Amino acid sequence: MSLPLARTVVAFDHVFPWDTLVARLKFDEDVALAPTLADHLSEAVRACHGEHPPVDVVLATPLSAQRLAQRGYNQAWEIARRVARRLGVPAHARTLVRLRETPPQVGLDLVARAANVRGAFAVQADRRASLHGRRVAIVDDVMTTGATLGELAFTVLEAGARSVEAWVVTRTPRE
């Protein structure tokens, strides 16, 4: 599967201690970890792009309304808004929406993951014009196969964005 991403910037492999810290942010309500993870991701972006990354807006992988209500926060947004502030790039919390709850991706292969998230995202109708011709970075906490970020990139490009990068805290190491 070819991803429609211009670039992927990763702070760390998804191994100890970073996998544990991401899990604590995501599942244990340890939102106090978001600034530290954002610092590291910001440094990874700077190492890749210098002080001025070639993006116009930062977005975050959205949660479903149900998951957001359960968790009380979106861990990707908690990281994204801080990264954007550190890099001097605007961030928008409500541009992307998850249209439906998807089953967890854990244990699914690449094809099943892609099918699981196909059509699961949209750009808010009143935000579509704001993406036209823009260079977008989408922030997420973990990237495994890239199915979710790939689907988000397709969605954002279809809305008129010029290019999409993925900025992620951890990525599952390739075998």
Side-chain angles (χ1 to χ4, degrees):
M1 175 174 86
S2 177
L3 297 177
L5 296 165
R7 179 173 302 218
T8 301
V9 178
V10 179
F12 303 106
D13 282 342
H14 192 69
V15 296
F16 185 81
W18 306 109
D19 58 344
T20 302
L21 296 175
V22 166
R24 283 178 39 198
L25 169 63
K26 193 171 191 169
F27 302 116
D28 296 339
E29 300 178 18
D30 198 347
V31 182
L33 288 168
T36 299
L37 296 174
D39 285 343
H40 288 292
L41 183 53
S42 298
E43 288 307 312
V45 171
R46 282 191 184 103
C48 181
H49 289 303
E51 283 299 312
H52 304 288
V55 299
D56 302 306
V57 64
V58 173
L59 307 176
T61 298
L63 295 178
S64 68
Q66 176 185 352
R67 181 80 37 89
L68 184 59
Q70 288 170 346
R71 196 169 288 158
Y73 62 95
N74 176 345
Q75 73 282 352
W77 172 246
E78 292 301 319
I79 296 165
R81 66 187 180 95
R82 290 171 170 92
V83 168
R85 185 170 51 244
R86 286 162 177 74
L87 298 174
V89 180
H92 299 290
R94 293 179 177 79
T95 298
L96 293 172
V97 294
R98 189 177 287 252
L99 299 174
R100 59 183 168 80
E101 182 70 35
T102 54
Q105 299 274 68
V106 175
L108 300 179
D109 67 16
L110 176 63
V111 173
R113 283 173 180 255
N116 190 36
V117 294
R118 192 167 298 117
F121 304 105
V123 173
Q124 288 280 22
D126 64 345
R127 301 292 306 158
R128 288 181 72 83
S130 73
L131 294 180
H132 187 74
R134 307 292 295 270
R135 299 165 302 174
V136 176
I138 301 173
V139 173
D140 207 352
D141 54 344
V142 179
M143 181 177 188
T144 303
T145 64
T148 298
L149 285 160
E151 184 67 17
L152 284 164
F154 279 123
T155 301
V156 169
L157 289 167
E158 191 275 329
R162 179 170 42 171
S163 64
V164 181
E165 293 192 3
W167 295 352
V168 296
V169 177
T170 67
R171 183 172 189 167
T172 303
R174 295 188 175 143
E175 297 176 5

